[in-house]
Amino acid sequence: MKPENQNFFQKVYVVAKQIPFGRVTSYGAIAKYLGAARSARMVGWAMNASHNMEEIPAHRVVNKAGLLTGKHHFGGTNLMQQLLENEGVKVIDNQIQDLEKLFWDPFLELDHE
DNA sequence: AGTGTGACACTGG
DNA sequence: TCCAGTGCCACAC
C-alpha cells in the first residue's frame, strides 16, 4: 500500500474523529474536504477498514440523505442506530431526523486549504 | 497489469 | 418532483 493511499485513509480517520458528539456528516462532505468529492464511496470503504484499526465513530457518518446505509457493517444489527440515538440523534428506520440541524460540515468546522 | 466492486453523488429524462 | 443511469477514485482479487 502506497503511503499516499494510507494518507488518504488517515485523512478520513482524522476527519471522522473530529466529528463532535451528537453530530453527523456525509461521505460526500468528507470526500470533498479531502479533495475527492467524487470519491465519497471510498470514504465509506475507509470507514469499513477503520473497524479493525482505530475506533472511528463511523456511525456518525451517513449518506447525504441521512440514511444509515452502512448499518449492515455494524454487526448486522441496529447498533449504528442505537449509538446515534444514544448521542441524542433521532433515528427512525435508519433515517436520521433533523439532519440539517445535526449535520456537521468539515468545511465549516475545520479550516480547509 | 487489468478487471470488478463499493457504507455515494450528480445529471438527465 | 421522482426514478434511472452514469461517473468517480481507490482497494481487492
Side-chain angles (χ1 to χ4, degrees):
Chain A
M1 189 178 284
K2 301 174 188 172
E4 297 180 0
N5 294 340
Q6 285 192 338
N7 186 29
F8 182 84
F9 271 56
Q10 194 62 39
K11 285 181 180 177
V12 176
Y13 302 148
V14 171
V15 176
K17 287 192 288 188
Q18 300 307 312
I19 301 174
F21 183 89
R23 290 296 183 92
V24 296
T25 189
S26 67
Y27 303 98
I30 296 175
K32 192 172 185 178
Y33 179 77
L34 298 180
R38 280 88 178 183
S39 303
R41 300 193 278 196
M42 197 25 39
V43 176
W45 198 258
M47 302 306 295
N48 185 15
S50 72
H51 276 260
N52 292 327
M53 295 184 68
E54 304 178 35
E55 294 186 16
I56 308 299
H59 59 278
R60 294 177 187 161
V61 184
V62 298
N63 63 358
K64 200 167 190 179
L67 189 66
L68 307 187
T69 53
K71 74 150 193 172
H72 188 69
H73 294 272
F74 275 80
T77 61
N78 57 350
L79 176 62
M80 188 174 185
Q81 179 175 329
Q82 293 300 319
L83 288 172
L84 288 170
E85 290 182 341
N86 187 33
E87 297 186 1
V89 179
K90 294 180 181 177
V91 181
I92 301 175
D93 189 28
N94 301 331
Q95 176 66 51
I96 293 179
Q97 307 302 309
D98 300 327
L99 179 62
E100 297 179 2
K101 185 176 66 176
L102 298 174
F103 189 81
W104 180 78
D105 191 344
F107 280 84
L108 297 179
E109 304 299 332
L110 301 178
D111 186 24
H112 63 92
E113 300 165 43

